[in-house]
Amino acid sequence: MIFDGHCDIFTDVLRRRLCGETQVLARHHLPKLRAGGIRGGCLVLWVDPPFTANPAERMTALLSAVAAELSECSAAVLVKSAAELEQALRNAQFPILLGVEGLSAIGENVDAIDRLHAFGARHAMLTWNEANALATGAKADPSRGLTELGRRALARLEDLHMLVDVSHLNDRSFWDVLAAVHGPIVASHSNARALAEHPRDLTDDQLRAIAETGGLVGLNANKNLVSPDPAQQTVDQFVRHAVHIAELIGVRHLAFGFDFNEYLADDATTSYNDGGNPNVPGLEDASRTPVYVEALRRAGFSERELAQISWQNWLRVIGEVVG
């Protein structure tokens, strides 16, 4: 059983619903997730390029699409606590922890976080790759960090018991956030920069800092975060990231955040993907997840450790932060 700590599925839900489709989760996504042993996940609201020009409008469309989709899909349910997550599993439903991949849509209105929370969001990142009113993303000005407004947003996230996610921050914002938070933080979909020099991956010092909060790091199957060298964009190299992080900070702080989004590769409305599968060959989509779990087993991870990485660590942190 696997909890995937980062999924962009609601972006696909929105684009398909705008084309007239319904029941997108049931038709296109739940079968692949189940085939891969994924029984729950953090599905995010992501303002994707080129819609970043009007993030509030795109967020409104995402929220409407999510509400409509979930009203049609009894097989999946929005959960707001660890207890609700476990109850959904007992009911043979797919528990969705709703996340927000970047808070650009709130502009300078920190109170808007309350509306996202009221809708059901229990996770948030301050930015995607951009700089916004709150903080600075991994592909923006490296000298700019967290803003005073961002500190207020962090305090509100903590007051609301929402998971704080640092996966898309630049280094300066990362350390600013670490200095401001008081509980566990997550990097839901990042790998080790020691093995792949990518601004979205984490240095060893950053990995240690996350562990010191009691948080976790979700392993990301995006091939560019596994290696900058196409010849090394392999399942075996992806396993090396797991080994490195586990040896550095312990299995207790390691999880999955696969970031599978092959379904966006042929989407002409977004400039994020280049038309090719962004995932490591061999892990083309969520249904292939057992390939990675077996590779971890061959690398020496025990069944107890695999259970921690696959599910238990996420459940622990969700319980500690969200309740």
Side-chain angles (χ1 to χ4, degrees):
M1 184 167 63
I2 293 169
F3 185 93
D4 186 353
H6 186 81
C7 306
D8 291 309
I9 284 170
F10 282 140
T11 299
D12 191 52
V13 165
L14 174 57
R15 67 158 182 153
R16 289 182 182 275
R17 293 190 73 91
L18 289 174
C19 293
E21 288 193 51
T22 59
Q23 300 184 33
V24 178
L25 283 171
R27 294 174 186 271
H28 295 281
H29 295 288
L30 289 180
K32 286 183 180 179
L33 292 165
R34 288 170 173 153
I38 297 172
R39 294 291 181 266
C42 182
L43 275 58
V44 297
L45 305 169
W46 171 46
V47 175
D48 51 324
F51 304 103
T52 46
N54 192 340
E57 180 179 74
R58 187 65 166 178
M59 183 61 70
T60 298
L62 280 164
L63 292 169
S64 295
V66 170
E69 187 72 19
L70 291 177
S71 72
E72 301 168 356
C73 184
S74 60
V77 62
L78 212 61
V79 297
K80 301 173 185 178
S81 68
E84 288 185 10
L85 193 157
E86 293 182 292
Q87 183 60 52
L89 290 172
R90 289 192 290 271
N91 295 340
Q93 292 175 296
F94 187 94
I96 296 171
L97 188 80
L98 185 65
V100 187
E101 188 168 16
L103 286 171
S104 59
I106 74 168
E108 298 183 1
N109 181 13
V110 171
D111 290 341
I113 296 172
D114 291 58
R115 292 197 288 273
L116 293 168
H117 180 269
F119 185 90
R122 294 295 184 269
H123 156 285
M125 305 175 208
L126 296 179
T127 73
W128 183 55
N129 285 329
E130 83 289 347
N132 60 29
L134 308 177
T136 313
K139 294 189 177 180
D141 181 358
S143 67
R144 182 181 186 269
L146 187 67
T147 68
E148 186 55 39
L149 198 66
R151 296 179 200 282
R152 288 174 49 201
L154 276 178
R156 193 64 195 136
L157 292 174
E158 292 197 303
D159 287 346
L160 292 169
H161 300 282
M162 294 175 67
L163 287 167
V164 174
D165 190 339
V166 295
S167 261
H168 271 279
L169 294 176
N170 71 357
D171 289 353
R172 179 167 178 178
S173 292
F174 174 96
W175 291 112
D176 287 348
V177 168
L178 262 290
V181 297
H182 302 91
I185 63 166
V186 302
S188 62
H189 56 304
S190 296
N191 295 329
R193 203 179 299 178
L195 300 180
E197 186 63 34
H198 192 288
R200 284 271 294 98
D201 284 337
L202 300 165
T203 67
D204 286 358
D205 285 344
Q206 289 173 322
L207 291 166
R208 292 188 189 97
I210 290 170
E212 287 172 3
T213 73
L216 57 78
V217 177
L219 294 158
N220 189 327
N222 183 289
K223 60 190 178 185
N224 292 317
L225 273 67
V226 169
S227 177
D229 178 3
Q232 290 295 312
Q233 292 173 346
T234 64
V235 171
D236 286 345
Q237 181 67 7
F238 191 21
V239 168
R240 292 184 187 103
H241 283 270
V243 171
H244 178 85
I245 295 170
E247 290 180 345
L248 186 72
I249 60 175
V251 168
R252 175 179 170 81
H253 304 289
L254 186 61
F256 293 142
F258 288 113
D259 201 14
F260 293 124
N261 57 19
E262 76 292 339
Y263 41 81
L264 301 179
D266 60 351
D267 182 4
T269 68
T270 178
S271 59
Y272 177 57
N273 282 319
D274 60 6
N277 192 308
N279 310 320
V280 171
L283 297 173
E284 288 80 7
D285 59 45
S287 71
R288 301 286 292 165
T289 303
V291 171
Y292 189 56
V293 175
E294 181 55 34
L296 292 175
R297 186 177 286 114
R298 290 196 307 270
F301 287 91
S302 69
E303 295 307 311
R304 178 177 176 275
E305 290 172 330
L306 289 173
Q308 288 180 279
I309 297 167
S310 296
W311 186 268
Q312 293 171 2
N313 290 337
W314 269 117
L315 189 62
R316 170 182 60 81
V317 173
I318 291 168
E320 290 176 2
V321 176
V322 180

